[in-house]
Amino acid sequence: MPTSQPKTIYLSEYRVPDFLVDHADLRFELFEDGARVHSSLSIRRNPDSREQGSALELNGDSLTLESVHLDGRQLAPGDYDDRGELLVVPSVPDAFELQVVTWIEPQNNTRLEGLYKSSGMFCTQCEAEGFRCITFFPDRPDVMARFRTRIEADKAAYPVLLSNGNPVDSGELDNGRHFVTWEDPFPKPSYLFALVAGDLVEKTDTFGTMSGREIDLRIYVEPRNAEKTAHAMDSLKRSMRWDEETYGREYDLDIFMIVAVDDFNMGAMENKGLNIFNSSCVLARPESETDMAFQRVEAIVAHEYFHNWSGNRVTCRDWFQLSLKEGFTVFRDSQFSADMGSPTVKRIEDATLLRTAQFAEDAGPMAHPVRPASYMEISNFYTLTIYEKGNEVVRMIHTLLGPERFRKGSDLYFERHDGQAVTTDDFVRAMEDASGRDLGQFRLWYEQAGTPVLAVEDDYDEASQVYRLTVTQSIPDTPGQSGKKPQHIPFALGLLDTKGADIPLTLAGEQSTGETTRVLELTETSHTFEFTGIASRPVPSLLRNFSAPVRVNYPWTRDQLMFLMSHDSDGFNRWDAGQRLAVEVIRELSGHAEAEVDPRLVEASRTLLNDREADQALVAKMLQLPTEAYLIELADKPDVQIIHHARERVLKVLATALREELLACYRRQQPAEPYQVTPEDVASRSLRNMALSWLLHIGDQEALTLALEQFEKATNMTDQAGALRALVNSPFEAERGQALEAFYQQWHQDPQVVEQWFSIQAASPVAGDLPSVRRLLEHEAFDWKNPNKIRSVVGAFAGQNLVHFHDQEGSGYQFLAETIRRLDDSNPQIAARLAAPLTRWRKFAHVYSEGMRKALESVRDKEGLSRDVYEIVHKSLAD
Ligand code: 0A1
Ligand code: ZN
């Protein structure tokens, strides 16, 4: 814990490592009261370093050093300097063996970084800088070593001992102990190291690769979860096949393992050959997990698997390059999910997350480029900007190059850099070299923070049949960056004629190609495009399929939006037109209690509900009103209470006006058994549960009967939790309490379901007022040491229950600050992540912002603040 201001690390100060590690030979002795780690490193000076006489420096954190040997000779305390975070050995030869023994206490490790215990098993999390909590090591991604790992533990308590690579030896030891040795043939950075020891059941399968090798697939879980692995296994096999077919990437070891652990700071981790997952991102079966959980498992299994090439075989030179692996891998997993399900729905989901949360990040005090230039604590940079905007940046390269040239580029990238630790610039260069395209200006996407805004104006000249479109880009200032240069933006668009058909697009001076969607390339501050042969004033469909992570401003009329909703050939823009219409209608009501809900929104929703021909997956998305979070993001100095009540009113008007249609929809949408996670069935359940929740929202008696019946009889969690959520958010107080109680009794032994139960309550504007949320923290199932429980109560409250979190007394803010202070000592990564909602304080209307600022200050003033929270809080409060 820093007593003074933590140091800022700058990209511009990057230097190659002075020493390289060829081999790391590790021996772990695991006990109940701690673990002894024997590390034997073959080290040599890096010929590329300019500091050929420098001292050896190894990173460490919370380690008890027991001994150091250099080439077999024990060093006396005067021969080295144990500075806590650094072990310095001043004089070392050019090549040597260093043996270090450290003692650590995994059982007391609540930070969940390094080696720790979760439900009785030992496990690790080393990204980004957790390996230094295990032993002294040059803990940076450009030092890549071959690891050999021997694990020793009590055989009865820890029958399963796992690490990266292939098992090469095992045997019995005295006192009921045993050992297993693993060897990983691929050099890797320390952040990809993993170890697991526990009493786990193994689910196995095999995969035949494209070159005919057979890979052993294993998923390890606690015995109570043995029935929840099938979906992850299927997802894994689909991912392996997809990566071969789409990117020509084959798996490289003989064995691929996944382990589920209950206590985990993030979603999952791509350790070489031994992925470790948060239980909630890998376990799923229909009775206890929702459609959303099924989709999350598939996407995360794919994500971690894809990292084997984009991340492990080719890794990051330094942590400023984090998006090299994360942006590219999110792009790969979103292509995969699109291929497995509905591409339009996947695009809508990605754009929703980006526009709601990443745009907010980009507009706040933590805004940073996809390749940041500095940081204090790298754990704070696992952000939506690195992951989701990083994905969009890779997607734009894909759009600019087209699929064939993009594939050539990725082939070249993997071939050129296999086994290396490289930069985002190396990635872009491979794309350029393979395609012949100049991406010089495009690189600004990696360097400049902030969300570009496109202001679009048009005019139509009937006499010449020319339609002129002027697009002007601007990029807002962000902390430390102003006066930005225009970026290279692929801007896809189409034009609709009066009947709603796409018009072939021909620019002045061109031959007609018949294309109806064109990707225009914006490179200047302002461009004017002239489309010829346009017979009447068209309706523009802009930024089709969300071709760039930007905001678009164009003054569509409400009638034009309705027109686009029903005619645009671009599914994404059909949905987006509906969102824009709803945003306008809700805005119009904000603060105007007497204003009427625009009947056009009601009619548009009615048309959607009655449309049996349309893609029901898209219909389900289109019927969802923009979230409060998105409405807030769009607003200037938002008043949260007003926005909440305006949105509620619209919902009530819709539910009342569409009662018959909603009941009909509910009855019609009954997916056949058995349960399947196809886009059709997911859409069907989603529409059905939406109809139910709208009707319960207005206290409809008939819907209450339906909800109670669905709750009782549901054979899958999507329907059971759907009914529960609808009841919890309804005015039926008695039924709400009974359902919550019955649900808990039914599921209290399943932590993933209990997390659902917590978050349904904590996120509820009806049942989740602050006193109720505080009571959840006292509940027997709540556990301050478990990040999932914290997220499902505190995270759900502050992130989704905006009407209570932004209570005007500021009690929600104080509650969050209290939680952050409490967690700062035990788990700083989680504490820092929870702080995100407060960092946006400047955005809000004064009644809110003052309270938010005070809450942040109370966190700032805590003694011995962690580096993680320090960085977030100080940057948020800085002028
Ligand atoms: N690389 C992982 C995410 C991850 C990052 C940090 C962690 O601990 C601090 C854990 C996981 C991924 O992208 O899936
Ligand atoms: Zn990742």
Side-chain angles (χ1 to χ4, degrees):
M1 305 283 140
T3 44
S4 56
Q5 183 183 333
K7 208 166 103 223
T8 299
I9 323 269
Y10 295 93
L11 168 59
S12 59
E13 291 174 359
Y14 173 83
R15 285 194 295 125
V16 299
D18 292 338
F19 292 90
L20 302 175
V21 181
D22 292 318
H23 287 273
D25 212 322
L26 306 174
R27 180 158 80 91
F28 288 82
E29 296 181 88
L30 305 179
F31 305 103
E32 293 313 307
D33 64 342
R36 183 163 287 110
V37 185
H38 306 255
S39 146
S40 184
L41 308 177
S42 327
I43 304 182
R44 64 187 159 91
R45 286 192 187 275
N46 181 1
D48 295 336
S49 163
R50 280 193 280 162
E51 312 288 330
Q52 288 299 322
S54 62
L56 174 72
E57 294 189 352
L58 303 177
N59 307 101
D61 186 347
S62 320
L63 303 171
T64 303
L65 179 62
E66 292 194 340
S67 68
V68 188
H69 286 75
L70 199 153
D71 284 335
R73 180 178 70 86
Q74 174 149 17
L75 299 189
D79 297 336
Y80 60 85
D81 190 359
D82 177 8
R83 299 187 199 153
E85 296 210 332
L86 222 48
L87 176 67
V88 183
V89 190
S91 55
V92 292
D94 289 346
F96 54 96
E97 282 292 314
L98 189 81
Q99 286 165 317
V100 179
V101 181
T102 48
W103 176 256
I104 54 180
E105 294 185 352
Q107 73 282 5
N108 297 327
N109 179 350
T110 56
R111 287 162 55 190
L112 315 185
E113 297 171 68
L115 180 64
Y116 64 94
K117 287 191 92 172
S118 173
S119 346
M121 78 169 103
F122 287 91
C123 61
T124 53
Q125 174 50 42
C126 292
E127 186 176 7
E129 297 180 336
F131 193 73
R132 63 186 64 184
C133 307
I134 295 175
T135 183
F136 286 102
F137 199 82
D139 192 14
R140 45 187 285 173
D142 55 355
V143 172
M144 300 167 79
R146 285 199 175 77
F147 282 74
R148 186 184 167 92
T149 306
R150 174 176 155 122
I151 312 165
E152 303 176 5
D154 183 83
K155 189 169 181 176
Y158 308 100
V160 174
L161 305 176
L162 310 174
S163 189
N164 317 87
N166 302 308
V168 291
D169 194 10
S170 64
E172 309 290 316
L173 299 167
D174 291 345
N175 301 322
R177 293 171 67 79
H178 72 144
F179 78 93
V180 178
T181 305
W182 293 81
E183 205 166 79
D184 183 355
F186 293 94
K188 65 168 176 289
S190 48
Y191 83 86
L192 290 173
F193 172 82
L195 174 159
V196 169
D199 186 2
L200 303 169
V201 295
E202 177 187 86
K203 293 284 174 169
T204 61
D205 207 329
T206 58
F207 177 80
T209 70
M210 60 186 186
S211 74
R213 292 184 309 116
E214 188 168 282
I215 314 292
D216 253 339
L217 308 179
R218 303 188 190 166
I219 300 183
Y220 291 91
V221 295
E222 288 173 54
R224 64 186 165 84
N225 291 324
E227 302 312 311
K228 285 197 182 191
T229 61
H231 179 60
M233 189 64 93
D234 284 347
S235 303
L236 175 61
K237 288 189 286 181
R238 281 196 293 273
S239 309
M240 295 177 89
R241 186 62 72 221
W242 185 91
D243 211 16
E244 294 186 345
E245 289 169 356
T246 315
Y247 281 87
R249 299 292 117 199
E250 181 173 331
Y251 186 63
D252 47 13
L253 288 162
D254 300 332
I255 163 171
F256 184 84
M257 298 173 283
I258 287 178
V259 181
V261 305
D262 282 348
D263 304 285
F264 202 74
N265 281 348
M266 310 274 269
M269 180 61 210
E270 70 263 24
N271 317 298
K272 184 76 189 188
L274 177 55
N275 287 187
I276 296 181
F277 274 64
N278 187 323
S279 296
S280 70
C281 297
V282 62
L283 303 175
R285 64 177 175 146
E287 302 80 62
S288 51
E289 272 72 31
T290 60
D291 291 348
M292 236 221 276
F294 269 76
Q295 288 169 335
R296 180 172 67 226
V297 167
E298 182 183 68
I300 299 184
V301 166
H303 179 97
E304 306 310 331
Y305 174 72
F306 296 155
H307 267 315
N308 191 54
W309 275 97
S310 48
N312 301 2
R313 289 286 288 258
V314 183
T315 195
C316 301
R317 186 192 73 172
D318 53 70
W319 291 120
F320 299 102
Q321 319 299 328
L322 182 56
S323 197
L324 172 79
K325 72 177 178 83
E326 297 306 347
F328 187 23
T329 304
V330 175
F331 175 66
R332 280 151 54 69
D333 84 56
S334 60
Q335 284 182 300
F336 167 77
S337 296
D339 285 354
M340 297 299 123
S342 155
T344 306
V345 167
K346 176 64 180 156
R347 195 70 193 120
I348 290 170
E349 287 167 353
D350 286 356
T352 300
L353 175 63
L354 195 88
R355 298 201 303 200
T356 308
Q358 196 279 327
F359 282 13
E361 184 169 278
D362 239 353
M366 285 295 292
H368 55 276
V370 170
R371 190 194 60 202
S374 69
Y375 61 77
M376 284 181 184
E377 170 52 62
I378 187 57
S379 299
N380 288 332
F381 283 76
Y382 287 77
T383 59
L384 291 146
T385 300
I386 301 294
Y387 277 71
E388 313 305 328
K389 188 174 181 180
N391 160 25
E392 296 296 328
V393 169
V394 176
R395 176 179 301 274
M396 287 189 286
I397 296 179
H398 185 272
T399 303
L400 291 169
L401 268 53
E404 286 86 24
R405 289 190 297 171
F406 183 85
R407 169 64 195 270
K408 277 195 193 158
S410 73
D411 284 351
L412 178 62
Y413 169 72
F414 288 129
E415 189 203 335
R416 188 185 269 178
H417 297 298
D418 191 9
Q420 296 177 1
V422 303
T423 63
T424 53
D425 207 46
D426 292 319
F427 178 80
V428 177
R429 191 164 316 109
M431 289 291 162
E432 288 183 318
D433 291 349
S435 68
R437 281 220 57 162
D438 177 358
L439 297 171
Q441 185 185 5
F442 187 85
R443 282 177 170 79
L444 289 171
W445 279 105
Y446 288 94
E447 295 160 26
Q448 296 189 153
T451 306
V453 181
L454 303 183
V456 182
E457 285 168 9
D458 60 353
D459 92 88
Y460 175 65
D461 181 41
E462 194 164 4
S464 58
Q465 308 227 315
V466 168
Y467 177 69
R468 231 175 252 107
L469 202 71
T470 299
V471 188
T472 307
Q473 64 164 296
S474 58
I475 308 173
D477 291 349
T478 46
Q481 281 192 338
S482 55
K484 291 173 198 184
K485 299 188 191 123
Q487 290 179 185
H488 184 174
I489 301 174
F491 183 61
L493 90 173
L495 301 175
L496 275 64
D497 69 16
T498 48
K499 296 219 174 63
D502 273 326
I503 304 174
L505 303 181
T506 310
L507 288 168
E510 279 183 356
Q511 292 294 318
S512 162
T513 61
E515 272 182 307
T516 54
T517 296
R518 296 208 35 170
V519 181
L520 303 176
E521 296 191 21
L522 312 177
T523 52
E524 314 279 329
T525 299
S526 186
H527 288 263
T528 297
F529 301 97
E530 277 188 13
F531 296 94
T532 57
I534 310 286
S536 60
R537 175 174 271 281
V539 178
S541 164
L542 304 176
L543 202 72
R544 280 190 159 169
N545 208 33
F546 199 58
S547 64
V550 300
R551 301 176 198 264
V552 174
N553 292 331
Y554 174 82
W556 284 284
T557 64
R558 289 190 198 175
D559 288 333
Q560 284 179 322
L561 291 173
M562 301 259 298
F563 183 77
L564 288 170
M565 275 177 85
S566 41
H567 297 294
D568 201 326
S569 63
D570 186 74
F572 181 89
N573 272 2
R574 256 199 335 269
W575 167 80
D576 195 36
Q579 292 288 296
R580 285 177 190 267
L581 177 64
V583 166
E584 285 199 20
V585 172
I586 296 170
R587 263 200 190 153
E588 186 173 55
L589 296 196
S590 301
H592 302 284
E594 71 296 344
E596 201 201 331
V597 173
D598 188 333
R600 281 175 289 193
L601 183 65
V602 180
E603 288 325 303
S605 305
R606 193 190 308 279
T607 308
L608 281 166
L609 270 172
N610 288 336
D611 190 347
R612 315 245 188 123
E613 301 304 308
D615 172 1
Q616 297 295 293
L618 184 56
V619 169
K621 287 284 169 203
M622 289 184 75
L623 278 165
Q624 267 151 27
L625 287 181
T627 60
E628 286 173 11
Y630 184 55
L631 293 162
I632 287 171
E633 206 288 312
L634 290 177
D636 186 28
K637 299 285 170 199
D639 185 321
V640 184
Q641 301 296 329
I642 287 180
I643 289 177
H644 171 79
H645 292 293
R647 186 180 180 280
E648 286 285 289
R649 250 190 78 208
V650 171
L651 199 54
K652 291 205 163 108
V653 167
L654 286 173
T656 310
L658 303 172
R659 178 173 187 272
E660 297 314 315
E661 285 84 354
L662 288 166
L663 282 170
C665 166
Y666 182 85
R667 298 218 159 84
R668 183 169 75 234
Q669 299 289 354
Q670 305 244 22
E673 296 287 336
Y675 173 89
Q676 281 185 307
V677 192
T678 57
E680 297 74 31
D681 286 5
V682 169
S684 200
R685 283 186 287 272
S686 157
L687 280 167
R688 180 177 157 83
N689 283 309
M690 183 211 70
L692 197 61
S693 80
W694 282 22
L695 290 170
L696 276 191
H697 208 75
I698 52 167
D700 190 278
Q701 283 293 338
E702 193 174 338
L704 174 63
T705 311
L706 294 173
L708 291 173
E709 194 180 307
Q710 177 174 322
F711 179 76
E712 294 257 310
K713 299 209 177 125
T715 54
N716 66 77
M717 185 49 75
T718 307
D719 287 341
Q720 197 182 11
L724 179 67
R725 183 177 288 106
L727 287 164
V728 166
N729 290 318
S730 79
F732 301 111
E733 211 174 318
E735 285 81 358
R736 174 198 318 156
Q738 284 154 11
L740 280 169
E741 177 59 24
F743 190 89
Y744 184 73
Q745 287 315 324
Q746 186 183 348
W747 293 109
H748 65 278
Q749 276 161 340
D750 187 322
Q752 281 84 53
V753 184
V754 172
E755 283 151 24
Q756 282 271 319
W757 182 79
F758 275 136
S759 69
I760 287 175
Q761 295 173 77
S764 167
V766 180
D769 58 10
L770 185 56
S772 308
V773 171
R774 282 192 188 276
R775 276 196 296 279
L776 294 178
L777 298 180
E778 303 298 322
H779 193 275
E780 58 171 12
F782 189 79
D783 176 2
W784 281 102
K785 291 207 197 69
N786 179 254
N788 289 2
K789 298 290 183 304
I790 298 165
R791 280 186 280 256
S792 64
V793 177
V794 186
F797 175 71
Q800 294 168 52
N801 194 354
L802 303 184
V803 66
H804 289 304
F805 174 60
H806 291 277
D807 145 66
Q808 294 198 353
E809 306 301 306
S811 58
Y813 310 145
Q814 286 153 23
F815 164 71
L816 185 60
E818 211 178 284
T819 311
I820 296 167
R821 289 199 303 267
R822 170 174 190 151
L823 286 167
D824 182 57
D825 294 320
S826 56
N827 190 331
Q829 281 187 8
I830 296 296
R833 287 192 164 260
L834 284 179
L838 289 174
T839 62
R840 318 266 147 77
W841 65 279
R842 280 200 174 83
K843 177 178 176 67
F844 290 84
H846 190 73
V847 273
Y848 304 98
S849 60
E850 274 306 283
M852 295 172 89
R853 184 174 57 76
K854 285 202 192 106
L856 274 173
E857 286 170 351
S858 79
V859 175
R860 179 196 62 195
D861 297 340
K862 172 183 171 280
E863 277 295 309
L865 208 55
S866 68
R867 184 163 60 209
D868 309 61
V869 175
Y870 181 101
E871 176 172 33
I872 305 276
V873 169
H874 281 258
K875 286 185 176 170
S876 304
L877 289 169
D879 293 333

